[in-house]
Amino acid sequence: MSTQTADRLKLIWPPVLIAVLFLSAWQLLVVVRDIKPYLLPAPSLIAENFFGDIALMWQTALYTGTTAFLGLVFGTIVGLVMALLAQRFIVVNNLVTPLAAGLAAVPIIALTPILNNMFSITSRTPRVLVTAIIVLFPIFVNVTRGLIQVQPVQLELMRSMNAQPRTVLRALRIPNAIPFFFTAMKVAAPLAVIAALVAEYFGGPQQGLGSRIAGSAANTAYGRAWAYVVAAIITGLMFYLIVVAIERWTTPWTGRTRSA
Amino acid sequence: MSTATTEHAVHADGIWKIFNEGQPNEVTALQDVNLTVESGEFISLIGPSGCGKSTLLRVIADLTDATRGDMRVAGHTPPEARQQQLYGMAFQQAALFDWRSVRRNVELPLELQGWDKAKRKARALELLDMVQLADFAEHRPWELSGGMQQRVAIARSLSVDPAILLMDEPFGALDEMTRERMQNELLRIRKETGKSIVFVTHSIPEAVYLSDRVVVMSPRPGRITHIIEVPLGSERDEDTREADTFFDAVTAVREALRGRVGGSDARAKVGEV
């Protein structure tokens, strides 16, 4: 146990050290060069704002986090359904990549004002939809790939065992796609937070991170604006870490070398 | 087992396989192949790349169909044989599923056949015992060496207790020592189960050591050129590998391979398609 703890410490201290050095250099730079807060506020000022109103930080992050979570769940479900449909019709893997590229070129965030008009701007709905659409693409593209990219020999094996297409999907394609799904989720989860936050810049309820970053900056409360940015980073990181934890717990075989 | 014992394990009558027939890139993978594998017999298909040995195995397994000719597998057409699971198949790649334990990989064919859980498990453990991997039942495939993975694949191919085993270079990716051990294992399993086996290989000593008859094939077009009896009897062990009869058979196969083709590296010289 004690050696394990020591090993963990060995892993942890280098990034901690770098963070401390980085923040000290930043603080020093701001103080020595007398940099104005609207250019770059000192870490001490950001910390003061962050911890000074930690309850508000939490509430604000919770509001945007909820939008991101709803969008993430909704987008994931739609992305998975689309991938299952695509798997049936796109037999050739080569078609997935151009499709993905085409979809990635759609300026989704720019849809927010339109969605704000289509749905009530005072509700959470347009933001959840924008988040869902953004999340949908990485999920759809990666999971489709996972469903299609099975080893040819495994398909032949299934055929030799007289497996029907539905069984091949259940016993081979879907398990094969799970690592691809988690890869996509690790991109999609922090992306959902960013999408939910940016969607707030286009009007609507003001209690989220995006609204308050914009509001604080407009009111020259730069330390506070940066404190909300910190809250946003922490929220995104939490989303990511939760996905990693679920992955570790449910799919111990991912990241291993594939059997020959 | 049932009908299989009264029929030939495999009976190929005038099998042709032509890819892209009638087009400029037409390839005759199999030309008029006639072959009978007796029930309980061990047959190896050997020949250089492109001689159609894997294609022939795939026609037997109904993984591809013959262009012309009549194929019978345990008295049935290949699609019937596949649907009734009259054969089990092992490939060069073990093709195990990483998300299943070793035991549940062996259970897979039984699961597809709708066996209930307890029976499945009992059967899988029995087979893992036979391939001497009982202790690894709950391990994941990636925790096993290449040879062990291939033993799991063989156990899986035996799980529905098929009359016939079709093996496509199953030891091709293993090192020489592991390979020889696996050959002994396979001979033992064959003796214990009495399966008919069709075995595709690149290795002359492997074909001779394992087989009752070695079927020598040559490419362009893929066809059978010789069928060589191996007079080593049914009791074979490490000493067999050093016996004169063994070397004689190896020489016979080697000469047969050279006979028509002029050596296995001479593919480029022959252009009679």
Side-chain angles (χ1 to χ4, degrees), chain B residues 147-199:
Chain B
M148 290 159 92
Q149 290 186 5
Q150 205 50 261
R151 263 143 70 191
V152 178
I154 291 170
R156 179 181 59 193
S157 72
L158 288 166
S159 64
V160 294
D161 198 18
I164 303 161
L165 262 188
L166 305 176
M167 310 183 89
D168 193 357
E169 297 184 48
F171 309 146
L174 305 178
D175 66 77
E176 194 61 27
M177 268 89 72
T178 312
R179 196 172 178 144
E180 293 196 348
R181 255 207 330 276
M182 294 294 292
Q183 291 163 4
N184 291 334
E185 292 260 314
L186 183 58
L187 284 180
R188 180 179 58 77
I189 289 167
R190 181 211 175 185
K191 206 188 286 176
E192 284 175 26
T193 59
K195 304 292 179 201
S196 317
I197 301 177
V198 182
F199 189 96

Side-chain angles (χ1 to χ4, degrees), chain A residues 151 153-154 156-164 167 170-173 175-176 252-254 256-260, chain B residues 58 62-63 82-83 85 87 89 91 93-100 108-109 111-113 140-142 149 156:
Chain A
Q151 291 178 42
V153 65
Q154 292 180 330
E156 293 209 320
L157 174 77
M158 291 301 274
R159 183 175 159 86
S160 79
M161 296 186 301
N162 195 32
Q164 305 305 308
T167 315
R170 178 182 57 76
L172 173 57
R173 293 188 187 276
N176 189 68
W253 69 87
T254 56
R256 301 287 172 161
T257 46
R258 202 138 264 290
S259 58
Chain B
R58 290 164 52 81
D62 188 38
L63 296 179
R82 182 173 65 82
Q83 279 151 26
Q85 291 288 281
Y87 70 81
M89 192 151 185
F91 302 84
Q93 294 160 292
L96 301 175
F97 293 178
D98 283 346
W99 49 88
R100 287 169 169 257
L108 183 62
E111 216 175 295
L112 300 190
Q113 296 282 297
R140 294 279 181 169
W142 73 73
Q149 290 186 5
R156 179 181 59 193

Side-chain angles (χ1 to χ4, degrees), chain A residues 21-54:
Chain A
L21 285 176
F22 176 73
L23 289 173
S24 312
W26 179 352
Q27 182 78 27
L28 202 67
L29 182 75
V30 170
V31 173
V32 171
R33 304 296 301 266
D34 192 24
I35 295 172
K36 299 291 171 239
Y38 62 84
L39 282 177
L40 185 66
S44 59
L45 182 65
I46 298 169
E48 200 182 302
N49 275 281
F50 184 84
F51 293 107
D53 215 340
I54 191 87

Side-chain angles (χ1 to χ4, degrees), chain A:
Chain A
M1 272 310 278
S2 61
T3 52
Q4 211 178 2
T5 322
D7 282 348
R8 286 235 175 99
L9 278 176
K10 250 183 227 168
L11 274 178
I12 288 167
W13 74 259
V16 170
L17 182 72
I18 288 168
V20 168
L21 285 176
F22 176 73
L23 289 173
S24 312
W26 179 352
Q27 182 78 27
L28 202 67
L29 182 75
V30 170
V31 173
V32 171
R33 304 296 301 266
D34 192 24
I35 295 172
K36 299 291 171 239
Y38 62 84
L39 282 177
L40 185 66
S44 59
L45 182 65
I46 298 169
E48 200 182 302
N49 275 281
F50 184 84
F51 293 107
D53 215 340
I54 191 87
L56 186 63
M57 292 292 150
W58 167 249
Q59 278 171 26
T60 312
L62 192 65
Y63 178 84
T64 304
T66 306
T67 309
F69 178 76
L70 292 174
L72 183 62
V73 170
F74 186 49
T76 301
I77 291 169
V78 176
L80 288 177
V81 171
M82 279 172 61
L84 284 172
L85 290 175
Q87 177 271 135
R88 286 202 53 169
F89 302 111
I90 311 175
V91 194
V92 189
N93 182 46
N94 294 343
L95 290 176
V96 180
T97 312
L99 186 69
L103 291 177
V106 179
I108 303 146
I109 280 287
L111 291 176
T112 315
I114 301 167
L115 290 171
N116 273 340
N117 288 337
M118 286 169 70
F119 301 89
S120 168
I121 192 171
T122 54
S123 77
R124 205 195 278 273
T125 314
R127 295 168 180 177
V128 171
L129 281 178
V130 167
T131 308
I133 295 169
I134 286 189
V135 162
L136 187 153
F137 291 146
I139 300 287
F140 166 61
V141 170
N142 277 285
V143 174
T144 304
R145 199 164 275 163
L147 291 170
I148 291 174
Q149 278 181 359
V150 292
Q151 291 178 42
V153 65
Q154 292 180 330
L155 281 178
E156 293 209 320
L157 174 77
M158 291 301 274
R159 183 175 159 86
S160 79
M161 296 186 301
N162 195 32
Q164 305 305 308
R166 189 185 294 182
T167 315
V168 174
L169 181 66
R170 178 182 57 76
L172 173 57
R173 293 188 187 276
I174 289 177
N176 189 68
I178 288 175
F180 290 79
F181 169 71
F182 278 109
T183 304
M185 281 301 274
K186 279 186 269 188
V187 176
L191 203 59
V193 176
I194 295 171
L197 184 152
V198 174
E200 292 173 8
Y201 289 156
F202 297 89
Q206 293 295 301
Q207 68 267 47
L209 288 167
S211 311
R212 290 196 169 147
I213 291 169
S216 305
N219 290 320
T220 69
Y222 299 107
R224 169 149 299 224
W226 279 80
Y228 285 122
V229 171
V230 170
I233 293 170
I234 294 171
T235 311
L237 210 56
M238 290 312 293
F239 270 63
Y240 176 79
L241 290 175
I242 289 168
V243 171
V244 171
I246 296 173
E247 181 185 28
R248 291 254 169 95
W249 181 57
T250 54
T251 59
W253 69 87
T254 56
R256 301 287 172 161
T257 46
R258 202 138 264 290
S259 58

